[in-house]
């Protein structure tokens, strides 16, 4: 049977067909169900959510948008809320709390038991965007002296409340991380075998303060399903699962795209962001870029006499500036992506500059030859004017690619986000340089 549409569900709610709604909703996947509920108005959300069986409601809750979660928390009774919180994974509860206003957070915490409340508060203490802030403390912990049979008994006992049981972590009495064992290892071993004999001791782990973007790279590099997190004393304090890393990658990629477009990053979806909030995120960079762009105007004003003597030069300024900006953007985007994937380091800068130099010679040469023919055949300019324009074009592409490949690496070296050095910033720099090159060639070749 096909999933309910928003229109069908709204109509059924108006007609109070609650039993029919329940029969349709229980057949839906939790993710699809959460998307459907988030499309309803507040009153309908509350009614539809209460129709769901308790377990399905709890599973669906973590996939709801934060605004919908807040509406439901306000509408639910303490008993209903307590059941939902008890059945959420701890990291999902923490993620939810971080999005809520203080009064809602207070109500959530008041409906948790003291142990859970303490664990939530511990996770909230970790720095934002750190491994500790995205980890969960719900994992299966084994002891090296256990047999495989004892390990299975423990997994059956505690596994139902854990985020994952496919990878189990071996610790000593001090909770120091000793090894990792998978369900596959256990299934393929004799029941009498001790965990110490089958566990993997060459463990890759992260610390609580590790940047979440580096954590994501570890998952990508090693194809992990989960990754242990230890404190400064090598004690196991939590794990990070792949679903959390997917969220991190999406956040980081969105943040880089926004910075590359000269927008201050925001956590809210575009549709949920007000016009004024969007304005505040965009206007600082627009002001900065506008002010920096005045340098190009100053350069043009300085060479006003040259333009007056050869008015035809004015017609090719936009082409030169745009080509330079595009060439710089090509190089910067490639380098920024390489830095993001940890394929490029500062030590590679001279190798990269050399490669981009040869690329710029080939690209600039091709563009200059094509433009030279176009200027003579179609624009009917003199050979000397065409020479000035095409030499400028070649040099502009070389400089643009040099700037485009160098600035992101230098920014990373001094601690700035390389994405800041993307298209708008580099384009502004290249625009000014291309004009200086243009008028220098005009001065020397044309004698103006």
């Amino acid at each position: 049977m096909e999933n309910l549409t928003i229109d069908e569900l709204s109509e059924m709610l108006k007609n109070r067909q609650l039993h029919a709604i329940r029969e349709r909703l229980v057949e839906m996947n939790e993710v699809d169900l959460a998307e459907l509920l988030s499309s309803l108005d507040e009153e309908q959300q509350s009614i539809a959510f209460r129709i769901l069986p308790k377990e399905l409601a709890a599973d669906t809750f973590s996939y709801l948008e934060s605004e919908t979660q807040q509406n439901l928390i306000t509408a639910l009774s303490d008993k209903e809320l307590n059941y939902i919180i008890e059945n959420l994974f701890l990291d999902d509860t923490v993620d939810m709390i971080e999005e809520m206003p203080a009064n809602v957070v207070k109500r959530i915490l008041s409906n948790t038991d003291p142990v859970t409340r303490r664990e939530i508060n511990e996770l909230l203490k970790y720095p934002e965007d750190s491994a500790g802030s995205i980890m969960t403390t719900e994992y299966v912990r084994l002891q090296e002296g256990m047999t495989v049979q004892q390990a299975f008994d423990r997994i059956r006992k505690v596994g139902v409340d854990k985020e994952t049981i496919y990878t189990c972590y071996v610790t000593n009495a001090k909770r120091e991380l000793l090894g990792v064992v998978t369900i596959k290892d256990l299934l393929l071993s004799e029941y009498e075998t001790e965990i110490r004999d089958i566990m993997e001791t060459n463990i890759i782990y992260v610390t609580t303060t590790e940047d979440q973007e580096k954590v994501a790279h570890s998952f990508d590099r090693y194809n992990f399903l989960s990754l242990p997190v230890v404190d400064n004393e090598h004690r196991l304090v939590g794990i990070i699962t792949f679903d959390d890393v997917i969220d991190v990658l999406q956040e980081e990629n969105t943040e880089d795209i926004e910075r590359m477009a000269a927008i201050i990053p925001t956590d809210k979806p575009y549709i949920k962001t007000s016009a004024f909030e969007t304005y505040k995120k965009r206007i600082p960079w627009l002001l900065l870029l506008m002010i920096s762009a005045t340098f190009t105007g100053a350069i043009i004003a300085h060479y006003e006499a040259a333009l007056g003597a050869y008015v035809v030069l004015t017609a090719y300024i936009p082409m030169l500036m745009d080509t330079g900006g595009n060439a710089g953007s090509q190089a910067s985007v490639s380098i920024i992506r390489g830095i993001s994937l940890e394929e490029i380091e500062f030590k590679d800068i001279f190798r990269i500059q050399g490669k981009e130099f040869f690329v710029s010679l080939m690209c600039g040469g091709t563009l200059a030859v094509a433009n030279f023919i176009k200027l003579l055949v179609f624009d009917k300019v003199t050979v000397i004017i065409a020479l000035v324009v095409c030499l400028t074009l070649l040099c502009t592409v070389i400089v643009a690619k040099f700037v485009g490949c160098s600035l992101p690496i230098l920014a990373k070296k001094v601690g700035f986000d390389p994405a800041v050095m993307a298209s708008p910033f580099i384009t502004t720099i290249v625009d000014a340089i291309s004009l200086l090159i243009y008028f220098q060639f005009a001065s020397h070749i044309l004698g103006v």
Side-chain angles (χ1 to χ4, degrees), residues 192-437:
E192 297 78 19
T193 306
E194 291 190 347
I195 297 300
R196 63 165 56 91
D197 296 326
I198 60 173
M199 68 182 186
E200 173 64 55
T201 55
N202 183 23
I203 316 163
I204 295 172
Y205 58 86
V206 294
T207 61
T208 53
T209 55
E210 194 89 49
D211 186 85
Q212 64 177 14
E213 195 168 2
K214 291 185 177 180
V215 173
H217 287 307
S218 294
F219 272 81
D220 180 51
R221 181 172 183 177
Y222 299 107
N223 295 319
F224 287 139
L225 292 177
S226 60
L227 186 64
V229 182
V230 300
D231 62 14
N232 293 331
E233 297 177 5
H234 200 68
R235 291 177 302 191
L236 182 63
V237 292
I239 66 168
I240 298 171
T241 52
F242 72 94
D243 56 320
D244 297 314
V245 169
I246 290 174
D247 293 337
V248 169
L249 288 173
Q250 184 174 340
E251 290 171 8
E252 296 292 344
N253 289 339
T254 301
E255 186 177 292
D256 285 345
I257 290 170
E258 288 176 331
R259 284 204 170 105
M260 290 170 71
I263 301 172
I264 298 174
T266 177
D267 294 330
K268 288 185 179 181
Y270 176 81
I271 296 297
K272 300 290 184 181
T273 307
S274 69
F276 184 69
E277 287 177 307
T278 303
Y279 156 79
K280 289 194 298 182
K281 298 296 182 182
R282 296 181 183 180
I283 196 60
W285 270 107
L286 288 176
L287 286 171
L288 177 62
L289 292 172
M290 181 190 70
I291 293 170
S292 61
T294 58
F295 290 112
T296 60
I299 294 170
I300 292 174
H302 182 73
Y303 288 96
E304 190 175 355
L307 290 174
Y310 289 89
V311 178
V312 68
L313 294 176
T314 306
Y316 302 107
I317 289 177
M319 181 272 293
L320 292 170
M321 293 172 65
D322 287 348
T323 302
N326 292 336
S329 296
Q330 285 182 333
S332 67
V333 169
S334 299
I335 300 305
I336 290 168
R337 187 57 179 162
I339 293 172
S340 176
L341 296 174
E342 296 187 341
E343 298 171 349
I344 293 175
E345 299 178 5
F346 181 75
K347 65 180 181 180
D348 301 317
I349 187 169
F350 296 116
R351 180 181 170 191
I352 290 168
Q353 288 173 341
K355 179 179 180 178
E356 288 295 333
F357 175 72
F358 287 111
V359 171
S360 65
L361 280 179
M362 291 184 285
C363 290
T366 301
L367 292 172
V369 170
N371 200 46
F372 191 81
I373 296 171
K374 179 253 185 188
L375 290 171
L376 294 180
V377 175
F378 296 101
D379 295 355
K380 307 295 184 181
V381 301
T382 62
V383 172
I384 199 73
I385 293 294
L387 184 63
V388 169
V389 173
C390 292
L391 283 176
T392 302
L393 184 60
L394 173 62
C395 293
T396 295
V397 171
I398 293 173
V399 171
K401 289 198 177 292
F402 178 83
V403 172
C405 75
S406 301
L407 281 185
I409 300 176
L410 295 173
K412 179 70 174 178
K413 180 65 176 178
V414 298
F416 291 121
D417 190 328
V420 175
M421 297 297 170
S423 301
F425 196 77
I426 287 175
T427 299
T428 302
I429 294 174
V430 171
D431 285 350
I433 294 175
S434 64
L435 284 175
L436 288 172
I437 294 171

Side-chain angles (χ1 to χ4, degrees), residues 82-123:
N82 180 262
Y83 182 86
I84 296 294
I85 301 302
E86 282 185 354
N87 285 275
L88 283 177
F89 289 120
L90 197 61
D91 57 333
D92 290 331
T93 304
V94 172
D95 289 342
M96 176 182 65
I97 286 175
E98 289 178 331
E99 300 290 332
M100 299 294 168
N103 62 317
V104 178
V105 171
K106 184 177 180 180
R107 182 156 183 246
I108 292 172
L109 293 177
S110 67
N111 280 278
T112 58
D113 60 78
V115 175
T116 303
R117 194 178 308 126
R118 184 171 63 250
E119 291 177 339
I120 290 172
N121 287 328
E122 284 297 320
L123 291 178

Side-chain angles (χ1 to χ4, degrees), residues 17-36:
Q17 298 173 278
L18 304 185
H19 182 72
I21 292 173
R22 181 186 174 96
E23 288 184 343
R24 295 289 300 275
L25 294 183
V26 295
E27 296 177 352
M28 293 179 62
N29 179 274
E30 295 91 341
V31 177
D32 296 330
L33 189 50
E35 183 178 355
L36 181 63

